[in-house]
């Protein structure tokens, strides 16, 4: 089997682990035109880590690539994605990141623990009362939207609508949307933009103790975010904290099913539960790949990279690199240190990592201790057909007395 095919298999297979293990110990760089003309895939931890933090590789061109890949009807409306912190570099990125950090504080994340715990108990309680059900629809999908809505200070009454808009817009990461998808994406983007525009105007008039108010107030070196920048990055936070956290939670539940004893032991201690979550992130994280563009002629993994060339960073194989991780194919919830790259690294590391970790830890603690004694039927898990995200579209649960839905 050639190395390009192995990359494609690692991105397409329901069980990518065998392919990832081979890639992690194979060549450091693989030409993969099937992912796009001229694409170079990096598979090793050191090279992926370097590309994530090296100024020679940037994110800003990704906005242009993203917009160019959209149906023409969507491009004008979605042009503001170029102001997302995800798609900026250099001074622009440092300004946005600094201002976002002033609002997205550790204190605000920690303050969500009680509300998130109550939300998880309520969602699990409904599943238990039904004798089981789909853990994606009943837990992993609604929880991230509930949590990010609380962080942003959005009314509980709006959450179903926010979930619907988010679900429509997640289709943006997949290729070749249908005409119906395109119409729904455009409609939901416009609705979400108008929604956050009204929220920002309200917070300017009547500030509260939430992230949107923090963004309105934040100032760095005399500069503030414009209203459009706040709205755009609120949309980014909602979307970024939605599908990837859902993916993490589904991977967490499949890991609990595969390792029930260690999961129960870990759930008894916040530190052990957090370590269990880190190993889930390493072995089955929600983002398979990310991408960078060479901003200048450079070299990486022994390969010359011309300015403008797109580099695909295979996070999932980097997290199994035998030069970094002892027994990389084994699931070890006590692994320490665990320098995985599931949330990226460097200046563009995932802004919502702490929030995702909080939700996953609480789900593990509450799920393992629940009197319904849930069982995740992983042999029936259906994984979404995506080369970018690792997320289940269904995950049947049963209780000790119930049947899977």
């Amino acid at each position: 089997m050639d190395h390009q095919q192995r990359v494609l298999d690692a991105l397409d297979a329901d069980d990518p682990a065998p392919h990832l293990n081979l890639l992690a110990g194979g060549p450091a760089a693989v030409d993969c035109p099937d992912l796009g003309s001229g694409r170079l895939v990096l598979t090793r931890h050191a090279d992926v880590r370097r590309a994530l933090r090296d100024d020679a590789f940037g994110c800003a061109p990704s906005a242009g690539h993203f917009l160019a890949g959209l149906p023409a009807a969507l491009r004008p409306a979605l042009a503001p994605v170029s102001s997302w912190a995800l798609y900026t570099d250099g001074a622009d990125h440092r300004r946005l990141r600094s201002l976002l950090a002033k609002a997205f504080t550790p204190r605000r994340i920690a303050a969500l623990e009680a509300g998130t715990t109550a939300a998880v108990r309520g969602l699990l309680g409904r599943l238990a009362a039904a004798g089981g059900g789909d853990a994606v629809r009943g837990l992993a999908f609604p929880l991230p939207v509930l949590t990010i809505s609380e962080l942003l200070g959005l009314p509980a009454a709006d959450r179903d609508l926010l979930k619907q808009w988010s679900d429509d817009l997640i289709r943006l990461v997949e290729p070749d949307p249908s005409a119906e998808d395109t119409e729904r994406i455009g409609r939901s983007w416009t609705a979400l933009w108008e929604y956050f525009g009204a929220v920002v105007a309200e917070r300017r008039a009547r500030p509260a103790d939430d992230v949107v108010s923090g963004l309105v107030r934040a100032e760095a070196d005399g500069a503030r975010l414009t209203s459009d920048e706040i709205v755009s990055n609120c949309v980014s936070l909602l979307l970024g904290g939605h599908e990837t956290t859902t993916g993490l939670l589904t991977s967490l539940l499949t890991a609990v099913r595969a390792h029930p004893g260690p999961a129960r032991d870990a759930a008894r201690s916040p530190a052990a539960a957090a370590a269990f979550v880190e190993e889930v992130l390493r072995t089955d994280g929600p983002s398979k790949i990310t991408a960078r563009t060479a901003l200048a002629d450079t070299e990486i993994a022994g390969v010359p990279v011309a300015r403008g060339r797109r580099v695909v960073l295979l996070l999932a194989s980097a997290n199994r690199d035998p030069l970094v991780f002892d027994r990389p194919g084994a699931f070890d919830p006590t692994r320490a240190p665990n320098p995985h790259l599931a949330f990226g690294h460097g200046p563009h590391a995932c802004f919502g990592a702490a929030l995702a970790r909080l939700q996953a830890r609480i789900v593990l603690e509450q799920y393992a201790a629940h009197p319904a004694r849930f069982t995740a039927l992983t042999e029936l898990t259906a994984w979404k057909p995506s080369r970018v995200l690792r997320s289940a579209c269904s995950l049947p649960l049963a209780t000790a007395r119930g049947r899977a839905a």
Side-chain angles (χ1 to χ4, degrees):
M1 178 184 295
D2 65 43
H3 298 302
Q4 178 184 195
Q5 187 58 51
R6 186 156 283 143
V7 168
L8 298 176
D9 288 344
L11 297 179
D12 293 335
D14 279 354
D15 180 14
H19 309 290
L20 292 170
N21 290 336
L22 289 169
L23 283 168
V30 179
D31 282 308
C32 201
D34 276 12
L35 294 179
S37 178
R39 295 293 199 274
L40 181 70
V41 178
L42 302 180
T43 64
R44 294 296 191 91
H45 190 279
D47 301 312
V48 170
R49 188 176 185 273
R50 177 194 150 190
L52 288 169
R53 65 177 300 117
D54 192 330
D55 289 343
F57 297 93
C59 290
S62 296
H65 291 293
F66 171 73
L67 290 168
L70 294 176
L74 289 177
R75 291 174 203 160
L78 270 69
V81 302
S82 60
S83 68
W84 288 1
L86 171 66
Y87 288 143
T88 56
D89 293 315
D92 282 344
H93 180 262
R94 288 190 292 273
R95 179 182 68 88
L96 284 170
R97 187 92 180 189
S98 173
L99 290 165
L100 286 165
K102 290 178 183 296
F104 213 86
T105 62
R107 175 187 66 81
R108 283 203 171 95
I109 301 300
L112 294 172
E113 178 148 4
T116 302
T117 300
V120 172
R121 286 175 177 164
L123 294 168
L124 288 174
R126 283 194 279 278
L127 284 167
D134 180 7
V136 176
R137 188 169 61 247
L139 174 63
F141 182 79
L143 180 65
V145 176
L146 291 173
T147 307
I148 196 70
S149 297
E150 184 177 349
L151 183 69
L152 294 170
L154 307 178
D158 295 344
R159 288 171 184 169
D160 286 344
L161 195 54
L162 291 167
K163 282 193 293 183
Q164 182 58 61
W165 290 334
S166 298
D167 196 32
D168 289 344
L169 292 175
I170 287 300
R171 299 166 190 258
L172 286 166
V173 304
E174 303 303 338
D176 304 320
S178 66
E180 181 183 355
D181 285 344
T182 298
E183 183 179 349
R184 289 179 65 183
I185 289 167
R187 187 167 59 244
S188 291
W189 174 273
T190 299
L192 197 53
W193 187 272
E194 291 175 351
Y195 176 89
F196 276 117
V199 172
V200 170
E202 170 69 17
R203 296 300 190 275
R204 287 197 187 282
R206 285 173 287 279
D209 185 20
D210 56 43
V211 162
V212 179
S213 299
L215 292 174
V216 168
R217 290 191 298 264
E219 183 172 348
D221 299 325
R224 292 181 182 270
L225 291 166
T226 67
S227 291
D228 280 356
E229 285 176 328
I230 297 172
V231 170
S232 185
N233 280 282
C234 283
V235 173
S236 175
L237 289 170
L238 180 66
L239 298 182
H242 175 205
E243 184 72 7
T244 53
T245 305
T246 292
L248 170 57
L249 296 179
T250 58
S251 290
L252 172 70
L253 293 174
T254 57
V256 170
R257 171 68 177 113
H259 310 281
R264 284 193 298 271
D265 292 342
R268 298 187 183 108
S269 157
F276 191 100
V277 169
E278 294 306 304
E279 187 68 345
V280 173
L281 285 162
R282 184 188 73 83
T283 57
D284 207 17
S287 297
K288 302 177 187 180
I289 61 173
T290 188
R292 294 291 187 269
T293 301
L295 303 180
D297 291 344
T298 187
E299 173 274 332
I300 196 164
V303 178
V305 181
R307 181 177 182 270
R309 189 174 188 185
R310 295 271 282 167
V311 177
V312 176
L313 312 181
L314 190 48
L315 303 171
S317 66
N319 287 337
R320 293 168 178 263
D321 191 329
L323 297 178
V324 177
F325 301 98
D326 182 44
R327 299 182 303 116
F331 185 88
D332 179 3
T334 65
R335 188 181 298 275
N338 192 348
H340 65 76
L341 301 172
F343 286 127
H345 178 70
H348 286 88
C350 176
F351 212 84
L355 185 58
R357 284 179 164 117
L358 175 75
Q359 292 173 83
R361 173 177 62 79
I362 291 171
V363 166
L364 174 59
E365 292 168 346
Q366 297 300 317
Y367 179 91
H370 201 281
R373 291 187 297 160
F374 290 108
T375 300
L377 303 177
T378 53
E379 66 271 19
L380 300 178
T381 302
W383 295 96
K384 290 188 176 181
S386 171
R387 288 180 169 176
V388 179
L389 300 173
R390 173 71 167 167
S391 186
C393 52
S394 69
L395 177 59
L397 293 182
T399 66
R401 298 179 301 278
R403 293 183 300 171

